[in-house]
């Protein structure tokens, strides 16, 4: 069935360093890939998303890249700050359904 | 704009009891989703509504879970009878199209 694998499960970086989280999806018909940030006890918040007609998208310190051939996409956070510490989830869907399949999550810790 | 509202925020029940959760989506959003998020995992879709019709309920344990969305606005999710493994956060999300989903704060359920 549909599946999204996310790595690593935990990531610890020093403030100012970059962080990269990678996801692989199984359904080649997937064409929408959002990333959510979830702080402890809070709701998931959309931070960036990408559709399959583009290979990269940037928003300030956050970027997402997509490789449709390999069926993987990545989140890149540059100049990390302590407030970036949270759990990050990738997801994939087919736009005609809206159903999101989530990865297992990555706990990012940014050390001051 | 007001976000997705959910109540209650927390609920503790004994196994075999019943419980109901309520969700009010963002105004004008036709699509409503219920997700189950078990501790340490990504959200898993339970049911998706388009207006007041069910689009996908393939992962809803129908022997104990039920959901409805009367008049295409608010929705309720019910569990009867609850099991220990139902302990999780129940997230409601809504979208105006079948893509960008906005999540509510969730209901944290503990079954003893």
């Amino acid at each position: 069935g549909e599946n999204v694998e996310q790595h690593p499960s935990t990531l610890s970086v020093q403030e100012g360093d970059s962080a990269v989280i990678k996801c692989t999806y199984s359904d080649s018909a997937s064409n929408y890939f959002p990333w959510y940030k979830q702080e402890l006890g809070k709701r998931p918040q959309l931070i960036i998303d990408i559709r399959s007609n583009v290979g990269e998208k940037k928003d300030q310190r956050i970027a997402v890249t997509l490789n449709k051939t390999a069926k993987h996409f990545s989140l890149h956070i540059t100049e990390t700050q302590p407030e970036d510490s949270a759990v990050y989830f990738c997801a994939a869907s087919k736009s005609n359904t809206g159903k999101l399949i989530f990865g297992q999550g990555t706990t990012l810790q940014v050390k001051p | 704009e007001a976000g997705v509202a959910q109540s209650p925020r927390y609920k503790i029940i004994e196994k075999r009891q019943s419980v109901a959760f309520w969700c009010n989506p963002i105004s004008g959003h036709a699509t409503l989703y219920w997700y189950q998020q078990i501790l340490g995992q990504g959200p898993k879709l339970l049911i998706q509504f388009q207006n007041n019709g069910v689009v996908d309920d393939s992962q809803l344990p129908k022997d104990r879970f039920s959901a409805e969305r009367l008049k295409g606005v608010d929705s309720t999710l019910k569990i009867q009878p609850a099991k220990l493994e139902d302990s999780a956060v129940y997230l409601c999300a809504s979208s105006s199209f079948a893509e960008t989903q906005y999540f509510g704060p969730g209901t944290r359920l503990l079954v003893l």
Side-chain angles (χ1 to χ4, degrees):
Chain A
E2 303 155 320
N3 188 46
V4 175
E5 294 287 335
Q6 182 173 346
H7 298 281
S9 57
T10 60
L11 180 58
S12 181
V13 300
Q14 287 294 133
E15 182 177 0
D17 287 351
S18 295
V20 180
I21 303 170
K22 299 181 179 181
C23 289
T24 303
Y25 58 97
S26 62
D27 190 340
S28 56
S30 297
N31 59 4
Y32 174 65
F33 309 92
W35 286 88
Y36 285 85
K37 175 183 180 182
Q38 188 174 30
E39 297 177 29
L40 191 62
K42 302 283 184 67
R43 73 187 74 192
Q45 299 250 357
L46 180 72
I47 56 171
I48 196 167
D49 57 10
I50 191 168
R51 289 170 173 78
S52 59
N53 57 343
V54 298
E56 183 174 359
K57 184 176 178 181
K58 285 189 74 173
D59 183 2
Q60 299 181 2
R61 296 186 296 108
I62 295 172
V64 57
T65 59
L66 172 65
N67 183 326
K68 287 173 55 180
T69 303
K71 292 191 287 185
H72 68 71
F73 56 112
S74 300
L75 178 71
H76 304 253
I77 306 174
T78 59
E79 300 171 25
T80 54
Q81 301 167 3
E83 51 265 38
D84 294 329
S85 296
V87 180
Y88 291 81
F89 291 98
C90 64
S93 80
K94 294 176 278 195
S95 62
N96 63 331
T97 68
K99 175 181 178 178
L100 287 176
I101 306 298
F102 281 86
Q104 300 90 330
T106 296
T107 301
L108 174 64
Q109 180 187 28
V110 181
K111 299 177 184 176
Chain B
E1 83 189 342
V4 177
Q6 289 187 246
S7 68
R9 295 295 312 277
Y10 305 92
K11 192 74 178 179
I12 301 174
I13 61 173
E14 302 274 333
K15 61 182 179 183
R16 292 188 289 275
Q17 286 186 324
S18 62
V19 64
F21 313 129
W22 173 83
C23 173
N24 179 244
I26 293 172
S27 178
H29 280 192
T31 311
L32 185 147
Y33 313 78
W34 283 102
Y35 288 87
Q36 179 192 58
Q37 186 175 23
I38 293 172
L39 188 65
Q41 299 181 18
K44 182 185 81 172
L45 181 71
L46 292 175
I47 189 166
Q48 176 185 345
F49 292 96
Q50 180 75 20
N51 296 309
N52 60 350
V54 175
V55 174
D56 186 335
D57 64 357
S58 57
Q59 297 193 89
L60 186 74
K62 298 180 185 65
D63 58 333
R64 298 184 300 106
F65 286 64
S66 64
E68 60 181 8
R69 191 182 184 198
L70 300 176
K71 301 180 182 178
V73 181
D74 293 3
S75 177
T76 56
L77 176 69
K78 297 179 181 178
I79 308 175
Q80 182 179 15
K83 293 185 175 182
L84 297 177
E85 58 261 37
D86 298 332
S87 294
V89 176
Y90 291 84
L91 293 162
C92 179
S94 70
S95 68
S96 58
F97 301 101
E99 289 187 349
T100 305
Q101 297 181 28
Y102 298 91
F103 284 83
T107 296
R108 193 172 301 271
L109 174 67
L110 179 60
V111 182
L112 302 176

